[in-house]
Protein backbone atom coordinates (compact mmCIF):
# COMPACT_ATOMS: atom_id res chain seq x y z
CA UNK A 1 0.00 0.00 0.00
CA UNK A 2 1.48 3.33 -1.05
CA UNK A 3 -0.93 5.54 0.87
CA UNK A 4 0.26 6.12 4.40
CA UNK A 5 -1.58 7.76 7.30
CA UNK A 6 -0.46 8.81 10.76
CA UNK A 7 -3.55 7.88 12.76
CA UNK A 8 -4.40 10.19 15.65
CA UNK A 9 -6.21 8.82 18.67
CA UNK A 10 -9.66 10.39 19.42
CA UNK A 11 -9.59 14.04 20.39
CA UNK A 12 -5.98 14.36 19.26
CA UNK A 13 -5.06 17.76 18.02
CA UNK A 14 -1.49 16.84 19.02
CA UNK A 15 0.63 13.97 17.64
CA UNK A 16 -0.76 11.28 19.98
CA UNK A 17 0.10 7.61 19.50
CA UNK A 18 -0.07 5.86 16.15
CA UNK A 19 -1.57 2.53 15.25
CA UNK A 20 0.62 2.13 12.15
CA UNK A 21 4.20 2.76 11.27
CA UNK A 22 4.62 5.91 9.13
CA UNK A 23 7.43 7.82 7.49
CA UNK A 24 5.64 11.16 7.92
CA UNK A 25 7.16 13.82 10.14
CA UNK A 26 4.68 15.47 12.56
CA UNK A 27 2.64 18.13 10.75
CA UNK A 28 2.33 20.53 13.65
CA UNK A 29 -0.61 22.93 13.84
CA UNK A 30 -2.06 23.39 10.36
CA UNK A 31 -4.49 26.03 9.12
CA UNK A 32 -7.39 26.01 11.59
CA UNK A 33 -11.01 25.82 10.48
CA UNK A 34 -12.40 26.09 13.99
CA UNK A 35 -11.44 25.69 17.62
CA UNK A 36 -10.83 21.93 17.24
CA UNK A 37 -10.78 21.38 13.49
CA UNK A 38 -8.20 21.75 10.73
CA UNK A 39 -8.80 23.13 7.25
CA UNK A 40 -8.52 20.03 5.08
CA UNK A 41 -6.13 20.46 2.22
CA UNK A 42 -3.06 19.53 0.24
CA UNK A 43 0.35 20.45 1.62
CA UNK A 44 2.11 22.58 -1.03
CA UNK A 45 5.43 21.60 -2.57
CA UNK A 46 5.94 20.69 -6.22
CA UNK A 47 2.65 19.66 -7.86
CA UNK A 48 1.03 17.42 -5.22
CA UNK A 49 -1.64 14.96 -6.40
CA UNK A 50 -1.17 15.98 -10.04
CA UNK A 51 -3.61 14.29 -12.43
CA UNK A 52 -2.77 12.79 -15.84
CA UNK A 53 -4.61 10.42 -18.14
CA UNK A 54 -3.54 6.80 -17.78
CA UNK A 55 -5.98 5.24 -20.23
CA UNK A 56 -9.35 5.76 -21.85
CA UNK A 57 -11.16 5.51 -18.51
CA UNK A 58 -8.23 5.69 -16.08
CA UNK A 59 -6.54 8.61 -14.33
CA UNK A 60 -3.19 8.67 -12.55
CA UNK A 61 -2.87 10.70 -9.36
CA UNK A 62 0.65 11.72 -8.40
CA UNK A 63 2.38 11.74 -5.04
CA UNK A 64 1.61 14.25 -2.34
CA UNK A 65 0.79 14.92 1.29
CA UNK A 66 -2.40 16.26 2.83
CA UNK A 67 -4.32 16.93 6.03
CA UNK A 68 -7.70 15.16 5.91
CA UNK A 69 -10.25 16.39 8.44
CA UNK A 70 -12.73 13.87 9.80
CA UNK A 71 -15.57 14.58 12.19
CA UNK A 72 -14.99 16.74 15.25
CA UNK A 73 -14.38 13.60 17.31
CA UNK A 74 -11.90 12.21 14.79
CA UNK A 75 -9.71 15.24 14.30
CA UNK A 76 -7.36 15.57 11.33
CA UNK A 77 -5.29 12.81 9.69
CA UNK A 78 -1.88 13.49 8.12
CA UNK A 79 -1.74 11.38 4.95
CA UNK A 80 0.92 10.78 2.29
CA UNK A 81 0.75 9.14 -1.14
CA UNK A 82 4.35 8.13 -1.85
CA UNK A 83 3.82 6.48 -5.26
CA UNK A 84 1.37 7.33 -8.07
CA UNK A 85 -2.10 5.79 -7.82
CA UNK A 86 -4.32 4.91 -10.81
CA UNK A 87 -8.12 5.09 -10.49
CA UNK A 88 -10.64 3.81 -13.04
CA UNK A 89 -14.03 5.30 -13.88
CA UNK A 90 -17.14 3.31 -14.71
CA UNK A 91 -18.65 3.75 -18.16
CA UNK A 92 -20.79 6.79 -18.79
CA UNK A 93 -24.57 6.78 -18.52
CA UNK A 94 -26.36 6.14 -21.83
CA UNK A 95 -28.29 9.44 -21.68
CA UNK A 96 -26.63 11.94 -19.36
CA UNK A 97 -23.15 13.01 -18.32
CA UNK A 98 -22.11 12.81 -14.68
CA UNK A 99 -19.51 14.48 -12.47
CA UNK A 100 -17.27 12.17 -10.44
CA UNK A 101 -14.81 13.32 -7.78
CA UNK A 102 -11.38 11.84 -7.12
CA UNK A 103 -10.76 12.00 -3.38
CA UNK A 104 -8.25 11.09 -0.72
CA UNK A 105 -10.33 9.16 1.82
CA UNK A 106 -9.47 8.00 5.32
CA UNK A 107 -11.22 4.97 6.83
CA UNK A 108 -11.08 4.61 10.59
CA UNK A 109 -13.00 1.71 12.11
CA UNK A 110 -13.23 3.46 15.47
CA UNK A 111 -15.47 6.12 13.96
CA UNK A 112 -17.09 4.66 10.85
CA UNK A 113 -18.66 1.37 9.80
CA UNK A 114 -15.96 0.43 7.30
CA UNK A 115 -14.17 -1.95 9.64
CA UNK A 116 -10.93 -0.74 8.05
CA UNK A 117 -7.94 1.31 9.08
CA UNK A 118 -6.46 2.80 5.94
CA UNK A 119 -6.31 5.73 3.57
CA UNK A 120 -6.71 5.53 -0.20
CA UNK A 121 -7.28 7.47 -3.41
CA UNK A 122 -10.67 6.60 -4.86
CA UNK A 123 -13.49 7.82 -7.10
CA UNK A 124 -16.80 9.02 -5.65
CA UNK A 125 -19.33 8.69 -8.45
CA UNK A 126 -21.83 11.48 -9.10
CA UNK A 127 -25.36 11.26 -10.41
CA UNK A 128 -25.98 11.29 -14.17
CA UNK A 129 -28.33 14.20 -14.92
CA UNK A 130 -28.93 16.84 -17.56
CA UNK A 131 -26.90 19.27 -15.40
CA UNK A 132 -24.44 17.11 -13.46
CA UNK A 133 -22.84 18.36 -10.25
CA UNK A 134 -20.10 16.96 -8.05
CA UNK A 135 -21.28 14.44 -5.43
CA UNK A 136 -21.64 15.28 -1.74
CA UNK A 137 -18.69 13.91 0.20
CA UNK A 138 -18.58 12.24 3.60
CA UNK A 139 -16.28 13.31 6.46
CA UNK A 140 -12.59 12.36 6.19
CA UNK A 141 -12.84 12.71 2.42
CA UNK A 142 -10.64 15.33 0.69
CA UNK A 143 -11.57 16.28 -2.90
CA UNK A 144 -8.70 16.43 -5.39
CA UNK A 145 -10.23 16.51 -8.89
CA UNK A 146 -13.69 16.58 -10.46
CA UNK A 147 -13.98 14.53 -13.65
CA UNK A 148 -16.81 14.99 -16.15
CA UNK A 149 -17.77 11.60 -17.59
CA UNK A 150 -19.67 12.15 -20.85
CA UNK A 151 -22.80 10.19 -21.69
CA UNK A 152 -21.85 6.91 -23.34
CA UNK A 153 -18.16 7.20 -22.49
CA UNK A 154 -16.29 3.91 -22.45
CA UNK A 155 -12.99 2.45 -23.53
CA UNK A 156 -14.67 1.33 -26.76
CA UNK A 157 -15.92 4.84 -27.62
CA UNK A 158 -12.67 6.67 -26.93
CA UNK A 159 -13.19 7.18 -23.23
CA UNK A 160 -12.78 10.47 -21.37
CA UNK A 161 -11.12 13.52 -22.94
CA UNK A 162 -8.59 14.26 -20.21
CA UNK A 163 -7.72 17.61 -21.78
CA UNK A 164 -11.14 19.03 -20.94
CA UNK A 165 -12.70 16.72 -18.34
CA UNK A 166 -10.72 17.77 -15.27
CA UNK A 167 -11.58 20.46 -12.73
CA UNK A 168 -8.97 21.13 -10.06
CA UNK A 169 -10.50 20.80 -6.57
CA UNK A 170 -7.22 20.90 -4.64
CA UNK A 171 -7.13 23.42 -1.84
CA UNK A 172 -4.09 23.98 0.32
CA UNK A 173 -3.38 23.81 4.03
CA UNK A 174 -0.20 25.21 5.60
CA UNK A 175 1.09 25.73 9.12
CA UNK A 176 -1.08 28.24 10.97
CA UNK A 177 -0.10 31.75 9.92
CA UNK A 178 1.59 30.50 6.76
CA UNK A 179 0.85 31.80 3.26
CA UNK A 180 -0.86 29.18 1.10
CA UNK A 181 -1.06 28.88 -2.71
CA UNK A 182 -4.43 29.95 -4.10
CA UNK A 183 -5.79 26.54 -5.08
CA UNK A 184 -9.38 26.46 -6.34
CA UNK A 185 -10.41 30.07 -6.95
CA UNK A 186 -13.72 29.76 -5.11
CA UNK A 187 -12.19 28.50 -1.85
CA UNK A 188 -13.09 30.71 1.10
CA UNK A 189 -10.57 31.66 3.76
CA UNK A 190 -10.44 29.81 7.07
CA UNK A 191 -10.11 32.79 9.41
CA UNK A 192 -9.99 36.59 9.37
CA UNK A 193 -6.51 37.76 8.43
CA UNK A 194 -5.43 34.59 6.63
CA UNK A 195 -3.09 35.19 3.68
CA UNK A 196 -2.65 33.42 0.35
CA UNK A 197 -0.55 33.84 -2.78
CA UNK A 198 -2.94 34.43 -5.68
CA UNK A 199 -1.01 34.44 -8.92
CA UNK A 200 1.81 36.58 -7.53
CA UNK A 201 -0.46 38.87 -5.51
CA UNK A 202 -0.74 38.61 -1.73
CA UNK A 203 -4.39 38.41 -0.65
CA UNK A 204 -5.91 38.68 2.83
CA UNK A 205 -9.19 37.01 3.85
CA UNK A 206 -11.77 39.57 5.03
CA UNK A 207 -14.18 37.46 7.07
CA UNK A 208 -16.74 40.25 7.53
CA UNK A 209 -17.04 40.79 3.76
CA UNK A 210 -16.55 37.11 2.92
CA UNK A 211 -13.95 37.83 0.25
CA UNK A 212 -10.23 37.81 -0.51
CA UNK A 213 -8.74 41.33 -0.72
CA UNK A 214 -5.40 42.23 -2.31
CA UNK A 215 -3.01 43.20 0.47
CA UNK A 216 -1.50 46.65 0.12
CA UNK A 217 1.47 47.35 2.41
CA UNK A 218 1.43 50.54 4.49
CA UNK A 219 2.84 53.50 2.62
CA UNK A 220 3.13 57.22 3.03
CA UNK A 221 -0.16 58.68 1.81
CA UNK A 222 1.62 61.61 0.12
CA UNK A 223 2.45 60.62 -3.44
CA UNK A 224 0.25 57.53 -3.41
CA UNK A 225 -1.63 56.92 -6.65
CA UNK A 226 -5.13 55.56 -7.18
CA UNK A 227 -5.72 54.17 -10.68
CA UNK A 228 -8.61 52.24 -12.19
CA UNK A 229 -9.18 51.20 -15.79
CA UNK A 230 -12.27 49.82 -17.49
CA UNK A 231 -11.85 46.15 -18.27
CA UNK A 232 -14.86 45.87 -20.61
CA UNK A 233 -17.35 48.00 -22.54
CA UNK A 234 -20.44 49.34 -20.77
CA UNK A 235 -23.42 50.22 -23.05
CA UNK A 236 -26.31 52.36 -21.79
CA UNK A 237 -29.55 53.43 -23.45
CA UNK A 238 -30.96 55.47 -20.57
CA UNK A 239 -30.64 59.17 -19.74
CA UNK A 240 -30.45 58.44 -15.99
CA UNK A 241 -27.00 59.11 -14.54
CA UNK A 242 -25.40 56.24 -12.62
CA UNK A 243 -21.90 55.23 -11.56
CA UNK A 244 -19.68 53.44 -14.04
CA UNK A 245 -19.02 49.87 -12.80
CA UNK A 246 -15.24 50.31 -13.11
CA UNK A 247 -14.35 54.01 -12.76
CA UNK A 248 -14.43 54.61 -8.99
CA UNK A 249 -11.81 54.94 -6.22
CA UNK A 250 -11.86 55.34 -2.44
CA UNK A 251 -10.48 58.64 -1.07
CA UNK A 252 -9.13 59.38 2.40
CA UNK A 253 -10.63 62.11 4.58
CA UNK A 254 -8.93 65.53 4.76
CA UNK A 255 -6.75 64.83 1.73
CA UNK A 256 -5.95 66.63 -1.52
CA UNK A 257 -5.49 64.89 -4.86
CA UNK A 258 -4.75 65.82 -8.44
CA UNK A 259 -7.19 64.19 -10.86
CA UNK A 260 -6.90 63.11 -14.47
CA UNK A 261 -8.57 60.63 -16.76
CA UNK A 262 -9.25 59.45 -20.27
CA UNK A 263 -12.77 58.62 -21.46
CA UNK A 264 -13.36 56.66 -24.68
CA UNK A 265 -16.97 56.62 -25.91
CA UNK A 266 -18.95 55.52 -28.96
CA UNK A 267 -22.62 55.72 -29.92
CA UNK A 268 -25.04 54.13 -32.31
CA UNK A 269 -25.58 57.40 -34.17
CA UNK A 270 -24.39 61.01 -33.98
CA UNK A 271 -27.56 61.79 -32.00
CA UNK A 272 -26.71 59.54 -29.03
CA UNK A 273 -24.48 61.76 -26.90
CA UNK A 274 -22.70 61.31 -23.57
CA UNK A 275 -23.66 62.89 -20.24
CA UNK A 276 -20.79 63.01 -17.68
CA UNK A 277 -20.82 63.83 -13.98
CA UNK A 278 -18.22 63.68 -11.19
CA UNK A 279 -19.52 62.46 -7.83
CA UNK A 280 -17.27 62.65 -4.75
CA UNK A 281 -17.67 62.21 -0.97
CA UNK A 282 -19.79 64.75 0.88
CA UNK A 283 -17.81 67.88 1.71
CA UNK A 284 -15.41 67.55 -1.23
CA UNK A 285 -14.27 70.77 -2.93
CA UNK A 286 -12.43 71.32 -6.20
CA UNK A 287 -13.22 71.15 -9.90
CA UNK A 288 -13.12 68.61 -12.67
CA UNK A 289 -12.81 69.60 -16.32
CA UNK A 290 -13.25 67.78 -19.60
CA UNK A 291 -12.17 68.59 -23.14
CA UNK A 292 -14.26 67.07 -25.90
CA UNK A 293 -16.75 67.48 -28.78
CA UNK A 294 -19.89 69.53 -28.15
CA UNK A 295 -22.98 67.48 -27.42
CA UNK A 296 -24.76 68.85 -30.52
CA UNK A 297 -21.91 67.91 -32.87
CA UNK A 298 -23.05 66.03 -35.94
CA UNK A 299 -19.94 66.41 -38.04
CA UNK A 300 -17.92 63.22 -38.36
CA UNK A 301 -14.66 65.21 -38.07
CA UNK A 302 -15.65 66.20 -34.52
CA UNK A 303 -14.03 69.61 -35.03
CA UNK A 304 -16.45 71.43 -32.73
CA UNK A 305 -14.55 71.06 -29.43
CA UNK A 306 -15.13 72.71 -26.07
CA UNK A 307 -13.63 72.72 -22.58
CA UNK A 308 -16.08 72.58 -19.66
CA UNK A 309 -15.41 72.61 -15.92
CA UNK A 310 -17.63 72.18 -12.90
CA UNK A 311 -17.37 71.51 -9.19
CA UNK A 312 -17.68 67.99 -7.83
CA UNK A 313 -21.27 67.02 -7.03
CA UNK A 314 -22.48 70.07 -8.94
CA UNK A 315 -24.20 68.80 -12.06
CA UNK A 316 -23.26 67.17 -15.33
CA UNK A 317 -21.96 68.09 -18.78
CA UNK A 318 -22.82 66.68 -22.22
CA UNK A 319 -20.44 65.70 -24.99
CA UNK A 320 -20.95 64.54 -28.52
CA UNK A 321 -20.15 61.00 -29.61
CA UNK A 322 -19.88 59.18 -32.92
CA UNK A 323 -20.08 55.54 -34.04
CA UNK A 324 -16.28 55.71 -34.14
CA UNK A 325 -14.45 56.13 -30.84
CA UNK A 326 -14.25 59.62 -29.35
CA UNK A 327 -11.80 60.49 -26.57
CA UNK A 328 -12.42 62.98 -23.75
CA UNK A 329 -9.45 63.94 -21.52
CA UNK A 330 -10.22 64.78 -17.88
CA UNK A 331 -8.31 66.81 -15.30
CA UNK A 332 -8.90 68.56 -12.02
CA UNK A 333 -8.30 68.59 -8.29
CA UNK A 334 -10.05 67.01 -5.32
CA UNK A 335 -9.96 68.10 -1.68
CA UNK A 336 -11.95 65.93 0.71
CA UNK A 337 -13.39 67.17 3.98
CA UNK A 338 -14.05 65.22 7.15
CA UNK A 339 -15.61 62.41 5.10
CA UNK A 340 -13.58 60.09 2.94
CA UNK A 341 -15.39 57.77 0.57
CA UNK A 342 -15.99 56.97 -3.06
CA UNK A 343 -15.23 59.20 -6.02
CA UNK A 344 -16.86 57.93 -9.21
CA UNK A 345 -17.57 58.86 -12.80
CA UNK A 346 -21.33 58.87 -13.34
CA UNK A 347 -22.68 58.91 -16.89
CA UNK A 348 -25.63 58.23 -19.17
CA UNK A 349 -26.78 58.66 -22.76
CA UNK A 350 -27.43 62.39 -23.11
CA UNK A 351 -29.68 62.63 -26.16
CA UNK A 352 -31.08 60.41 -28.87
CA UNK A 353 -32.89 57.09 -28.59
CA UNK A 354 -30.07 54.63 -29.15
CA UNK A 355 -27.09 53.47 -27.12
CA UNK A 356 -23.96 55.19 -25.87
CA UNK A 357 -21.04 53.00 -24.82
CA UNK A 358 -18.13 53.78 -22.50
CA UNK A 359 -15.28 51.69 -23.84
CA UNK A 360 -12.79 49.40 -22.18
CA UNK A 361 -9.52 51.27 -21.73
CA UNK A 362 -11.12 54.36 -20.21
CA UNK A 363 -9.40 55.27 -16.93
CA UNK A 364 -9.12 57.71 -14.07
CA UNK A 365 -6.12 58.38 -11.82
CA UNK A 366 -5.72 60.40 -8.63
CA UNK A 367 -2.41 61.27 -6.96
CA UNK A 368 -2.41 62.43 -3.36
CA UNK A 369 -0.45 65.65 -2.80
CA UNK A 370 -1.51 66.64 0.76
Amino acid sequence: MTVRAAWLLPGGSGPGQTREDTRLAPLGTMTPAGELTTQPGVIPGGDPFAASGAGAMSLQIGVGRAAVQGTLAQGAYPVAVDAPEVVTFTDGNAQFARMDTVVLRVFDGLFDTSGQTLARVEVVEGEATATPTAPTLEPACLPLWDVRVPAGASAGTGGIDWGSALTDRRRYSVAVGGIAPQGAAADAGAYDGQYRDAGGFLERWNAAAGTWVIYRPPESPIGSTLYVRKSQDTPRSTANLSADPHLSVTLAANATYTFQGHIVATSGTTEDDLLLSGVAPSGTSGYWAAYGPRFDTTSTDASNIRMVATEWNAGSRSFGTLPTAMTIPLLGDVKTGANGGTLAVHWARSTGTGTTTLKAGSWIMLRRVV
Side-chain angles (χ1 to χ4, degrees), residues 327-356:
T327 59
I328 302 172
L330 305 173
L331 56 89
D333 70 311
V334 183
K335 183 177 182 180
T336 58
N339 298 313
T342 301
L343 178 146
V345 172
H346 287 226
W347 65 278
R349 186 199 69 215
S350 177
T351 60
T353 58
T355 299
T356 296

Side-chain angles (χ1 to χ4, degrees), residues 120-137:
R120 71 185 182 200
V121 177
E122 66 178 33
V123 176
V124 179
E125 191 169 300
E127 183 180 358
T129 66
T131 55
T133 58
T136 301
L137 302 180

